[in-house]
Amino acid sequence: MKVPIILKVNGKEYALEVKANEILLNVLREKISLTGTKYGCGIGECGACTVLLNGRAILSCQILAVSVSGREITTIEGLAENNKLQPLQESFVDEGAVQCGFCTSGMILSAKELLDRNPDPTIDEIKDAIRGNLCRCTGYVNIIRGIKASTRKIRKRRKE
Amino acid sequence: MSNSQVIDYDFDYYQPQNIEEALEYLGREGAQVLAGGTDLLNTIKIAGQQPPSLVYIIGVKELDFIKFEKGLTIGATTLLSEIEKDDRIINQYPALAESIHSIGGTQIRNQATLAGNLCNASPGADSAPALITLKAQAEISWKSEEREIERKIIPLEKFFTGPGATILRPGELVTAILIPEAPPFAGSAFKKIARVKLDIAKINCSVYLTRDGDLCNQVRIVLGSVAPTPVRARRVEDFLEGKKLNLSLLTKATKRATEDISPITDVRSTEAYRRELVSVIIRDTLMKAWKRSGGEIEK
């Protein structure tokens, strides 16, 4: 039996009918065609499905779409504004933090939550914040560098 | 069919707005609490469990609170990430903050709840050792046959009955965790050993003690992942109580821990290694708790 829900994603509202057993990750990818959020393990251990819920990083493979009706969701597609990349996205590109790109959406969103609450994290704080995001390509070095570099970019942009 | 992508059966879904409604739905046959979902959804997808109805309690705002009044009370739907960053908890109950921080990663702690971690009752539950050493209790609520809300308080030490099993009966909901006030000269610490930071513990340990001058007054040591439920290292506690702490006493005392545990070999570690680690982890955690109580350790 389908129930009506309103998903607020990246500032837009989507009125949908879903069954209670539909998982948020699948609804984002298949019903709203936001495929930036990835299905990695499906059991909450890789972080590829990370989205922000009211600004907090969560695992969209571990939550039902009905449970988040009415709450603000941000996916990777919601970061760039007017075709201008967000500082984290720019820094990831600059620092070579993207190889296959599969972990990237989740990595950036976890980093975004960190920087929103701690604009100048130490390397250890960065590592701790992204410990729920696995990368099989980069060895994390450039990812951490990219996150650190973006803090300087953000500081600069704030001053402008 | 086991798969990690979709839930392939239909269930009834309820989203109560208050405790009364939640207990009403939970009192019906086949009802299962859904909180953060980071354990339950995998139990459904992978282990193939099919609870006929799910009651999503995160919407019950009355259960989302951290209250300091004659000790600490944490509501059942409070997110782990809120608990671990509360300054008062970091200062007054450091072992609790540390143990919660060691659970999963950022995302899991932004969804999961303390009550959920306890009700899932993994023998390696990271929140259990600290809470048991701190003499925490669970407030459990349910609706009686007369439709009245009933409550009882159970010490967490009596809460777990086996791997994945608790004393909860159908219809019962953990509504709060209660922790007594920490007296002066108390010290607590938590340590977890795992393969990577996202992992479940090979072994974890919490120590709570009170110091009387240079004597160790009361000491409570709880170990996880080395028995069917979290266990007290009573033989070590008995040895240390009332004594002046020094390294050689600690080494002697912690060797007795191997008699209090019954570790197994699993994907994360071996029985032998766990037995090897137990004395070390108790010693390290105890020294930290002792220092936090203001004590010093002689060599």
Side-chain angles (χ1 to χ4, degrees):
Chain A
M1 204 198 74
K2 294 207 174 181
V3 287
I5 61 168
I6 309 265
L7 280 192
K8 295 179 175 176
V9 189
N10 302 331
K12 270 176 80 171
E13 289 197 6
Y14 300 85
L16 301 167
E17 295 233 320
V18 297
K19 290 169 76 173
N21 65 7
E22 290 187 48
I23 290 171
L24 178 62
L25 172 61
N26 301 330
V27 172
L28 288 172
R29 289 179 56 81
E30 292 161 26
K31 295 235 159 92
I32 318 185
S33 299
L34 289 173
T35 53
T37 310
K38 306 300 181 193
Y39 164 61
C41 69
I43 58 173
E45 291 184 7
C46 75
C49 70
T50 304
V51 296
L52 300 182
L53 181 65
N54 290 344
R56 288 191 166 115
I58 61 145
L59 301 168
S60 61
C61 77
Q62 302 281 281
I63 199 163
L64 304 171
V66 285
S67 300
V68 297
S69 184
R71 295 197 256 171
E72 304 276 341
I73 298 168
T74 308
T75 68
I76 189 67
E77 290 92 342
L79 289 195
E81 263 177 71
N82 297 325
N83 286 328
K84 185 170 162 62
L85 291 181
Q86 201 262 3
L88 272 165
Q89 292 172 301
E90 263 185 26
S91 295
F92 264 52
V93 171
D94 291 345
E95 299 295 329
V98 184
Q99 285 183 225
C100 81
F102 211 73
C103 75
T104 306
S105 312
M107 234 4 130
I108 289 182
L109 289 169
S110 288
K112 177 156 197 318
E113 182 198 332
L114 170 68
L115 298 184
D116 283 346
R117 99 186 119 72
N118 179 359
D120 196 11
T122 62
I123 299 296
D124 278 340
E125 285 169 334
I126 292 174
K127 286 183 184 176
D128 193 60
I130 62 171
R131 79 190 205 214
N133 293 83
L134 301 186
C135 173
R136 295 292 280 130
C137 300
T138 65
Y140 304 96
V141 177
N142 287 351
I143 289 174
I144 294 166
R145 230 200 294 251
I147 296 171
K148 195 76 178 146
S150 77
T151 64
R152 293 189 281 272
K153 258 199 228 275
I154 293 171
R155 252 199 309 278
K156 247 172 99 185
R157 281 202 198 175
R158 286 224 179 98
K159 287 188 181 144
E160 285 160 13
Chain B
M1 197 199 83
S2 167
N3 82 93
S4 58
Q5 192 161 22
V6 295
I7 295 178
D8 60 1
Y9 81 106
D10 284 310
F11 49 81
D12 293 326
Y13 175 84
Y14 301 104
Q15 196 156 326
Q17 302 300 302
N18 56 55
I19 296 175
E20 199 270 322
E21 247 190 299
L23 294 179
E24 183 62 44
Y25 292 129
L26 285 171
R28 298 182 191 168
E29 195 166 334
Q32 164 70 46
V33 179
L34 171 63
T38 53
D39 283 320
L40 184 61
L41 257 58
N42 294 339
T43 306
I44 289 174
K45 286 193 270 185
I46 307 296
Q49 278 190 33
Q50 299 194 332
S53 78
L54 297 189
V55 183
Y56 183 61
I57 60 165
I58 299 294
V60 180
K61 292 281 170 261
E62 311 166 59
L63 292 177
D64 181 10
F65 64 84
I66 296 174
K67 198 164 56 186
F68 274 84
E69 195 190 299
K70 293 204 187 117
L72 166 63
T73 310
I74 301 175
T77 64
T78 314
L79 297 178
L80 293 178
S81 55
E82 290 294 281
I83 304 170
E84 61 159 325
K85 70 174 194 241
D86 188 296
D87 279 318
R88 299 162 298 176
I89 295 180
I90 294 171
N91 286 323
Q92 296 178 42
Y93 305 97
L96 181 59
E98 286 170 340
S99 59
I100 288 175
H101 186 70
S102 79
I103 295 175
T106 307
Q107 298 95 317
I108 288 175
R109 298 196 307 281
N110 277 337
Q111 266 176 271
T113 63
L114 184 58
N117 187 237
L118 296 168
C119 293
N120 186 56
S122 160
D126 292 312
S127 68
L131 287 170
I132 294 173
T133 58
L134 293 169
K135 301 183 194 154
Q137 301 167 304
E139 175 195 83
I140 298 167
S141 308
W142 71 99
K143 252 193 178 175
S144 68
E145 287 192 0
E146 297 79 43
R147 327 304 317 132
E148 298 282 311
I149 296 182
E150 308 255 3
R151 295 211 152 92
K152 65 184 172 188
I153 309 243
I154 305 281
L156 273 180
E157 200 163 352
K158 307 251 183 293
F159 187 73
F160 306 103
T161 58
T166 67
I167 48 97
L168 288 177
R169 287 183 298 216
E172 290 184 350
L173 174 69
V174 172
T175 39
I177 309 295
L178 290 64
I179 302 155
E181 240 177 300
F185 304 113
S188 69
F190 170 83
K191 195 173 170 77
K192 171 179 177 178
I193 297 176
R195 293 169 296 178
V196 292
K197 271 188 126 183
L198 187 64
D199 207 1
I200 295 170
K202 294 179 195 244
I203 183 171
N204 55 28
C205 173
S206 190
V207 173
Y208 167 84
L209 49 76
T210 54
R211 181 176 63 82
D212 186 4
D214 58 359
L215 297 181
C216 178
N217 195 349
Q218 238 190 89
V219 61
R220 289 167 68 90
I221 304 167
V222 176
L223 300 156
S225 277
V226 288
T229 67
V231 282
R232 295 266 298 274
R234 285 186 195 270
R235 285 180 177 81
V236 182
E237 294 175 0
D238 291 341
F239 202 85
L240 292 173
E241 251 181 53
K243 299 229 173 63
K244 190 171 169 185
L245 290 190
N246 63 57
L247 266 182
S248 86
L249 182 79
L250 267 184
T251 309
K252 225 168 159 183
T254 55
K255 280 206 168 76
R256 303 171 121 217
T258 191
E259 294 162 56
D260 285 315
I261 62 175
S262 50
I264 60 170
T265 296
D266 62 17
V267 293
R268 285 176 283 276
S269 190
T270 61
E271 180 191 339
Y273 190 57
R274 283 170 159 137
R275 284 198 185 281
E276 198 64 55
L277 277 184
V278 69
S279 47
V280 178
I281 201 176
I282 294 178
R283 189 197 65 203
D284 288 353
T285 316
L286 210 144
M287 282 172 62
K288 206 166 176 189
W290 182 247
K291 288 205 180 96
R292 283 185 175 154
S293 74
E296 305 210 345
I297 302 232
E298 271 175 36
K299 299 279 156 94

